[in-house]
Amino acid sequence: MSEYLILQLPSANRVYADDAPRLMRAELAVFGEAVGGIADTDEVELAGLHYVRFTAPELTGDRLALLSNASSLYALFQRVDEDLLRPVPIRPLDRFDSDLLTIQKYAGKTNEQFTRLLLNVTCLAMAEPLAMLRRPLRVLDPLCGRGTTLNQAMMYGFDAAGVELADRDFEAYERFIKTWLRTKKFKHTAESGPLRWQRRRLGRRLDITYAPTKEEFKAGRTRTLSFRATDTLHTAKIFGRNAFDAIVTDAPYGVQHGSRQAGELQRSPRDLLSAAVPVWVTALKPGGAIGISFNDLTLPRGELLDLLTRAGLKPREGAHYEQFAHRVDNAIVRDLVVATKP
């Protein structure tokens, strides 16, 4: 066994930065559950810097490739002796510059590092956890706001789809992503217009096909980005059954998102998820996984786990899955749950 130390990315959010080492240790435990070998995680201080430490067989191949995507990993070192660290080259999936995730600034934006963490642990819960290294996954955020999850899926080279009821968020994201693609000079096509289903207008749509290079675009090695401005309860009908490998979303904290049920706008996290989760499950492939972050002060963890179980999913359990809760502000303690579809 070798000893490794992770130097974490700095976070502009001081509250999140304080919790980041603990969250990294929980994330490492999920990595270890998926690929084995990661153990003895703790926190150490060397020369005034704080690290997350763990032991593992020498990191090579798939284990190193997966770990390279850890949500707050800045640099990875192998400890040679008490005072000597050897840098370990990492090879994350990232296909684009980090400004894809950081340019957008708005109230209520989910922390980019946490979005990456949530996507990671969800993909690792799939029946094929190495799939994120093997092929472009198709990822859905059914409450996508202004697209932080979509951007992270793009970073990984995945096909991304999002649903959001608020027109203003759809318009803001459309402006951002079209401008970003043009500024970066990435070859792409973009189409937008009304969203229809069985001759009924459900909202608005944005469909983008793109590639990181002109050569890939010309060769047809393209990725897709789809955004639907509509009620999340329409997810299965507009995308179809068994359409997504992973569903990842930051659930409403009581005011951020909504769904129209019985003609009225519903913003209760409990009511919204009770109605929406069975619809989302229909759109999830067998063997796929769903990851939901939520405010434990308005929707207790046990209640959400029961909801997922009733929808036919199998929640992932274990002590490490109970270590992700962290304070966002005085009214929000954010946690996450992950479940798989048999």
Side-chain angles (χ1 to χ4, degrees):
M1 299 288 282
S2 297
E3 185 177 2
Y4 293 92
L5 280 75
I6 291 175
L7 182 63
Q8 292 186 272
L9 281 164
S11 175
N13 184 320
R14 186 63 205 172
V15 174
Y16 190 86
D18 290 342
D19 286 317
R22 178 175 56 82
L23 297 176
M24 172 63 82
R25 292 175 62 187
E27 187 179 3
L28 286 172
V30 175
F31 276 103
E33 182 181 67
V35 298
I38 296 175
D40 303 322
T41 62
D42 59 13
E43 300 167 35
V44 298
E45 181 179 344
L46 296 174
L49 293 176
H50 295 272
Y51 298 83
V52 172
R53 186 195 72 90
F54 65 96
T55 61
E58 186 167 358
L59 291 176
T60 57
D62 290 336
R63 188 180 284 111
L64 176 59
L66 279 177
L67 191 62
S68 295
N69 298 292
S71 60
S72 60
L73 186 151
Y74 183 56
L76 176 65
F77 301 91
Q78 185 176 18
R79 195 168 190 173
V80 179
D81 60 34
E82 190 67 23
D83 298 315
L84 181 61
L85 303 181
R86 176 184 296 128
V88 178
I90 58 175
R91 41 193 179 97
L93 290 169
D94 292 358
R95 302 293 305 276
F96 302 109
D97 295 334
S98 62
D99 61 0
L100 174 60
L101 297 170
T102 59
I103 286 177
Q104 288 178 293
K105 306 291 184 185
Y106 54 90
K109 180 181 180 181
T110 305
N111 181 286
E112 298 96 344
Q113 291 180 22
F114 180 77
T115 299
R116 190 178 184 108
L117 184 155
L118 180 59
L119 181 57
N120 284 346
V121 298
T122 303
C123 291
L124 290 169
M126 293 168 50
E128 185 188 353
L130 292 177
M132 63 186 295
L133 302 178
R134 302 282 191 262
R135 57 186 172 84
L137 302 181
R138 195 173 185 210
V139 175
L140 168 71
D141 185 343
L143 299 167
C144 69
R146 297 193 184 182
T148 303
T149 301
L150 308 187
N151 295 339
Q152 181 58 63
M154 288 177 65
M155 287 288 287
Y156 277 176
F158 298 163
D159 292 319
V163 178
E164 174 55 49
L165 184 63
D167 278 339
R168 66 183 182 277
D169 289 335
F170 174 87
E171 292 164 357
Y173 187 73
E174 182 176 23
R175 286 193 302 270
F176 162 74
I177 197 62
K178 286 182 175 179
T179 300
W180 187 83
L181 288 166
R182 285 195 304 268
T183 301
K184 294 291 184 176
K185 298 184 168 134
F186 291 126
K187 187 70 174 173
H188 68 282
T189 62
E191 297 181 1
S192 58
L195 172 65
R196 300 187 185 279
W197 183 78
Q198 295 185 349
R199 299 184 179 180
R200 175 187 168 197
R201 178 164 178 156
L202 297 182
R204 301 163 69 183
R205 64 176 179 84
L206 171 67
D207 290 293
I208 295 176
T209 300
Y210 66 95
T213 67
K214 292 180 181 179
E215 292 74 21
E216 288 178 276
F217 191 90
K218 186 176 181 180
R221 297 195 300 273
T222 56
R223 300 272 62 83
T224 61
L225 172 66
S226 305
F227 196 130
R228 302 292 184 258
T230 190
D231 195 313
T232 193
L233 299 185
H234 297 319
T235 295
K237 68 177 66 167
I238 59 179
F239 289 114
R241 301 174 62 89
N242 303 329
F244 297 99
D245 299 286
I247 296 177
V248 176
T249 198
D250 189 20
Y253 301 147
V255 297
Q256 291 295 320
H257 303 278
S259 170
R260 293 194 179 278
Q261 303 172 44
E264 297 181 359
L265 184 64
Q266 302 292 325
R267 294 190 181 276
S268 161
R270 181 179 293 102
D271 294 344
L272 174 58
L273 292 176
S274 294
V277 167
V279 176
W280 300 344
V281 171
T282 300
L284 185 65
K285 293 178 181 179
I290 182 169
I292 302 175
S293 60
F294 62 99
N295 182 7
D296 192 61
L297 298 182
T298 58
L299 181 62
R301 178 185 183 84
E303 189 172 334
L304 181 52
L305 290 174
D306 288 344
L307 191 161
L308 294 172
T309 301
R310 292 196 304 272
L313 298 172
K314 183 178 180 181
R316 300 303 293 262
E317 298 182 285
H320 46 285
Y321 284 103
E322 300 176 3
Q323 301 301 314
F324 289 110
H326 59 284
R327 185 172 67 87
V328 175
D329 59 34
N330 290 334
I332 300 171
V333 174
R334 183 165 54 198
D335 200 354
L336 66 83
V337 294
V338 179
T340 55
K341 183 176 179 178

